[in-house]
Amino acid sequence: MSSRYSWGADEHLVVQITEDMSLESNFKAMAMASDLASQQVDGLTDICPANASLLVRFDPDRIAPAEVERIVREAEGRLEGGGPQVLETRIFELPVWYNDPYTNETGARFRDRHQTPDKTDLEFAAQENNLPSVEAFIEAHSGAPWITSMVGFVAGLPFLFQMVPQERQLEVPKYVRPRTDTPKQTIGYGGCFTAIYSVRGAGGYQMFGLTPVPIFDPTQELPDFTDFMFFFRPGDIVKFRRIDEAEYNQIKEQVEAGEYRIRQRPVTFDLAEYEKDPDAYNARLLEVLYGN
Amino acid sequence: MAIEVIEPGLATSIQDEGRPGYYNVGVPPSGALDLYSAAAANALVGNPSSAAVIESAYMGPKLRFTEPAVVAVTGADIPVLVNGQSAPSWTSLDLKAGDELSFEILAGGARIYIAVSGGIDVPLVLGSRSLYALGAFGGFQGRALQAGDVLPVGVGSGRPGLSVPEALRPQFAKEMDVRIVLGLYDYRLTDEGMSALVDRPWQLSPVADRIGFRYAGNPLQWKEREQPFGAGSDPSNITDAGYPVGSIQVPGGIEPIILHRDAVSGGGYAQVGTVISADMDVVAQSAPGTMAMFVPVTLDQALEARAEARARRAEMMAALS
């Protein structure tokens, strides 16, 4: 299926790779973005890979739109040439306190906007996926790793897509009407995506838990943020690790003392190898993360 | 040299020409919504266009200058007062130490720009002094101005008495054309939906801020379909994607929203077109109640309009040099 190119008036080119979400489409968006970024083309101001599309923002006073299209189509053509589909990225761990009282309390305040006012977000999510319990849902959510398929909506907010075959993807509708409040660092879910709320604010995703680890530090005082105020980049692979209240509080104290470091390792992601056997490939990724 | 904020006005923030280069991590361009008026204000007081100015919506602030300053007010049509006495807008003013700048009731337009010689000297964040309120960074302490704030001012060399010629000041109307390039996900609209988008005017609702401008009118119809995996259940949903700045999305098919310079950078609503860059200042200056026709143009026409806007800006700058 061929991509659809469209102009966002005189400053944007949008490439819709596919209408549906898949790891293959996302991989293509990230690979095209990385190819374009490496060329350092004057006048391309923003190169933004999204879940199954690519947005390029340009300054038409510096580069003609036709030239932008030519360069982007060439990048797409190189990918279709059948070269190796690998992504140099990193894998890291985020601890999550699932089913915590803070997001549950927030959810309780907005039950009138939810599909099932008599159930929690997690109970609803388990039911929607034909899973026997909240436990089973959390098991599935924290089992296989996730790839950062897009960063956006607001500053530093990652969209994450789970690295499992489509028949094992968790799917949960968003709230019927959005909430006006979501705690900072909430693990949210909408459609087939996990999102982590980088800031407190409105939101329509189901709420499953909290991470004690900031993913956005505008003061850049925390040790993982000295280079850049946002932690997540497109292509990052993340593994959620389930923690309890005691460990949540312990990590929160370490964060506040400026001592917590996110466990992370560089890794090469190979799409073809992954597709041969996703579970075995994921196990190898986790060995990289948790090996010495 | 400093400026004391006595009353903040409405949604008053520090803005410059913006913060390109971080949209891929969700940081929008920000910057003055009406870049022409901000550039004129800076030129009047001898600043480069990149200097930071004060932007307010609908209601101007009340400010006190601790030292002599050359100041200019541009943008919306609003009577300017210095120590309670009428003063001209679009003109560089000579303020003495202790002078107070304030405003009467807005007569037209929506956004007011105040430049001071030397520029507002708040710290650069990711290369810009613009406030990005959702991210709580940039501007003055990452937030809108409040009474009691004291704004630092850089060193400048403006001179009073310069004025932008009448013909080079924007006109504000209650009815306007907003030129758009159709595309993106417009193929998802039915023929009736497309006709509802471009054949009838839309009224700007009170929900109009730096993030987006929401219009009211008749609902648009979307083609029914089996939604693709990942796209969400409503026909106006798509697999979450990047939003062009100026793009028009229509959640549920009910109210078109034009995203502006503090846009959410992406999400799951289909966009049906994008406002051309030359008309973003016009949208910025539209007040709630304004009737807007979305007029489709080609990419080439958008580029011609951009060139015309640049020529007009160059003429304005030349008139002040």
Side-chain angles (χ1 to χ4, degrees), chain A residues 95-117:
Chain A
V96 177
W97 182 14
Y98 287 95
N99 214 355
D100 69 288
Y102 302 103
T103 55
N104 280 334
E105 184 276 327
T106 305
R109 277 193 283 137
F110 295 101
R111 264 10 244 167
D112 60 319
R113 302 170 189 229
H114 196 269
Q115 288 86 348
T116 55

Side-chain angles (χ1 to χ4, degrees), chain A residues 10-69:
Chain A
D10 46 320
E11 293 185 351
H12 309 81
L13 178 63
V14 173
V15 184
Q16 297 171 37
I17 295 165
T18 53
E19 291 201 68
D20 65 332
M21 179 59 193
S22 68
L23 201 52
E24 292 73 16
S25 297
N26 183 242
F27 197 89
K28 188 167 172 181
M30 288 191 288
M32 286 172 71
S34 144
D35 181 332
L36 292 169
S38 72
Q39 295 183 50
Q40 299 190 315
V41 181
D42 181 55
L44 296 193
T45 55
D46 295 273
I47 299 162
C48 313
N51 292 316
S53 57
L54 174 72
L55 168 69
V56 175
R57 188 153 197 257
F58 58 89
D59 176 355
D61 302 329
R62 282 150 64 193
I63 184 167
E67 178 67 2
V68 175
E69 181 177 352

